Amino acid sequence: MSGSESMVGSEPAPLLDVRDLGVAFDSEGGAVHAVNGVSYTLREGETLGIVGESGSGKSVHVLAMLGLIPRPPGRITGGQVLFEGRDLLAFPERELRKVRGGRIGFVFQDPMSSLNPGMTVAAQIAEPLRIHLGLDGRAARLRARELLDLVRIPDAAARLDQYPHEFSGGQRQRVMIAMGLSCRPKLLIADEATTALDVTVQAEIIALVQDLKREIGMAIIWITHDLGVVAGIADTVQVMYAGRILERGPVDDIFADPRSAYTLGLLRSLPDLSRGRAGRKRLHQIEGAPPDMRDPPPGDPFAARNVYATPRCRLEPPPLAQASSAAPGHLVAAWYDLPALLAAERAAPGAVP
Ligand SMILES: Nc1ncnc2c1ncn2[C@@H]1O[C@H](COP(=O)(O)OP(=O)(O)O)[C@@H](O)[C@H]1O
Ligand SMILES: [Mg+2]
């Protein structure tokens, strides 16, 4: 039945290999365990969408990779982050600075605070080009103009000497993307890069990033609290909760066949525009709140909010494991069998919680 199994052994080494990463913040009330044993890989050119509610450790885990956790109060409690085979966590700061904005580009939320309001756009785009590529002023300016063209800012030449406040919110985010891509990174990390924008502009930015990906071919980690956003951009989706990965799989599998009750909750809270009237369900929010990460529960962190939780869920953390033999890339951390529970629900409505 599955002829693809024999190909598994010939896969190339991943671009990024995160192994058992842990991050904590010391506070007066005890250590906040923000990231707890996160492991995953990213292939060259792959787009990974990372989703989860606010506070699930999405930002902290990428900040840790880039050496941007404030220490103290933050500390890496364990793990490795192999990028092109070398552990970023073991890099001296001087080396990391070369990687940040060089081989790894990043775009964070809120370009108004990330862009310097007192510097022209040309000067800001030129900065990483000088630091990482050693371009002189003239060459950097030329490249800055190319980059503004690349992110489809009209009349780029005339806009180089303008300041951030002269650009719209969407254009400022395009400038940030231009900066993130300026050194032709192998990996672009975007953290809530479109969250502050309205839905139309958000869609434009996502379409732009997809075009750029085709042109440049970098891998992308796209972080958002909105599962709807990743539908249009990701190859693989990873769902985080309480500093753990609860589910990971090809984007179509995650949407069509979720295995974690948390993923199901996120899906049910999305307005379903793609399936038309017949497929539209009533929206509901996931009841309850995430656990206190100073004192995380011993079992499945989502158990307290999960109507499908079993006694085992409250006692023992489930490992992230293959969801079914039919879908090798689909992983879930759950002791319960969500598809079976949903099927039972459909067969006898009301009989299962
Ligand atoms: N500088 C910090 N000091 C203390 N706690 C922090 C700090 N930064 C983040 N945290 C905590 O780490 C956890 C994960 O945060 P974060 O990664 O920002 O969540 P997300 O990006 O998924 O919304 C949260 O509980 C947050 O309060
Ligand atoms: Mg965040």
Side-chain angles (χ1 to χ4, degrees):
M1 294 244 321
S2 102
S4 61
E5 264 170 19
S6 58
M7 292 176 64
V8 169
S10 61
E11 284 199 2
L15 177 68
L16 182 72
D17 185 357
V18 181
R19 296 184 180 173
D20 207 20
L21 179 62
V23 185
F25 293 95
D26 291 313
S27 75
E28 278 185 23
V32 175
H33 298 275
V35 176
N36 299 294
V38 162
S39 299
Y40 64 91
T41 61
L42 183 73
R43 297 184 314 267
E44 296 230 2
E46 180 178 4
T47 300
L48 172 67
I50 300 184
V51 298
E53 284 165 298
S54 174
S56 53
K58 305 182 300 295
S59 296
V60 165
H61 105 276
V62 292
L63 291 172
M65 287 184 202
L66 297 170
L68 294 174
I69 294 287
R71 301 186 226 197
R75 59 193 158 83
I76 310 276
T77 56
Q80 290 180 306
V81 177
L82 303 177
F83 176 69
E84 298 182 316
R86 298 199 300 155
D87 185 8
L88 295 179
L89 300 185
F91 274 35
E93 173 56 27
R94 205 170 48 84
E95 289 288 311
L96 258 185
R97 226 174 295 153
K98 280 192 222 156
V99 176
R100 287 197 298 263
R103 306 283 289 166
I104 302 180
F106 50 91
V107 185
F108 292 148
Q109 193 178 359
D110 192 8
M112 213 42 187
S113 62
S114 313
L115 290 171
N116 181 339
M119 250 167 112
T120 66
V121 157
Q124 292 184 64
I125 299 179
E127 210 166 70
L129 298 171
R130 278 203 276 250
I131 296 172
H132 294 287
L133 303 182
L135 299 187
D136 65 22
R138 208 187 139 88
R141 188 180 167 83
L142 208 65
R143 177 82 182 125
R145 189 190 148 172
E146 282 171 12
L147 284 161
L148 288 187
D149 278 334
L150 183 75
V151 295
R152 328 275 195 257
I153 289 190
D155 203 9
R159 308 211 62 186
L160 280 174
D161 297 313
Q162 292 185 333
Y163 290 86
H165 70 91
E166 297 175 79
F167 289 72
S168 70
Q171 286 176 333
R172 284 195 293 267
Q173 198 55 276
R174 284 167 191 262
V175 170
M176 290 299 295
I177 291 170
M179 292 172 71
L181 293 175
S182 59
C183 298
R184 299 180 203 280
K186 294 292 287 180
L187 170 61
L188 179 72
I189 299 176
D191 187 358
E192 304 281 6
T194 59
T195 302
L197 305 172
D198 72 52
V199 178
T200 316
V201 181
Q202 183 165 306
E204 282 168 17
I205 298 281
I206 288 170
L208 168 70
V209 172
Q210 283 172 309
D211 285 351
L212 294 174
K213 192 185 152 69
R214 275 190 288 273
E215 288 167 40
I216 301 171
M218 70 284 186
I220 298 176
I221 295 179
W222 192 273
I223 295 176
T224 171
H225 64 282
D226 184 346
L227 190 50
V229 168
V230 304
I233 197 170
D235 303 312
T236 306
V237 175
Q238 194 158 286
V239 179
M240 283 186 71
Y241 187 79
R244 295 177 189 276
I245 299 171
L246 289 194
E247 184 165 10
R248 169 187 167 96
V251 61
D252 295 342
D253 289 0
I254 294 291
F255 278 80
D257 185 24
R259 300 291 177 134
S260 162
Y262 181 58
T263 310
L264 182 69
L266 292 177
L267 284 168
R268 286 185 170 167
S269 64
L270 285 179
D272 190 348
L273 304 174
S274 60
R275 279 195 255 166
R277 206 154 39 97
R280 220 171 281 182
K281 298 194 190 87
R282 81 199 139 89
L283 295 187
H284 51 127
Q285 285 207 303
I286 306 171
E287 301 272 336
D292 178 354
M293 296 312 289
R294 276 168 306 191
D295 186 18
D300 177 339
F302 188 59
R305 301 169 76 183
N306 183 5
V307 294
Y308 303 111
T310 66
R312 191 179 190 184
C313 298
R314 295 193 183 81
L315 295 172
E316 212 185 321
L320 186 66
Q322 199 166 306
S324 87
S325 54
H330 194 167
L331 308 177
V332 68
W335 291 123
Y336 51 89
D337 180 353
L338 189 64
L341 289 160
L342 294 176
E345 243 175 29
R346 279 192 297 272
V352 186

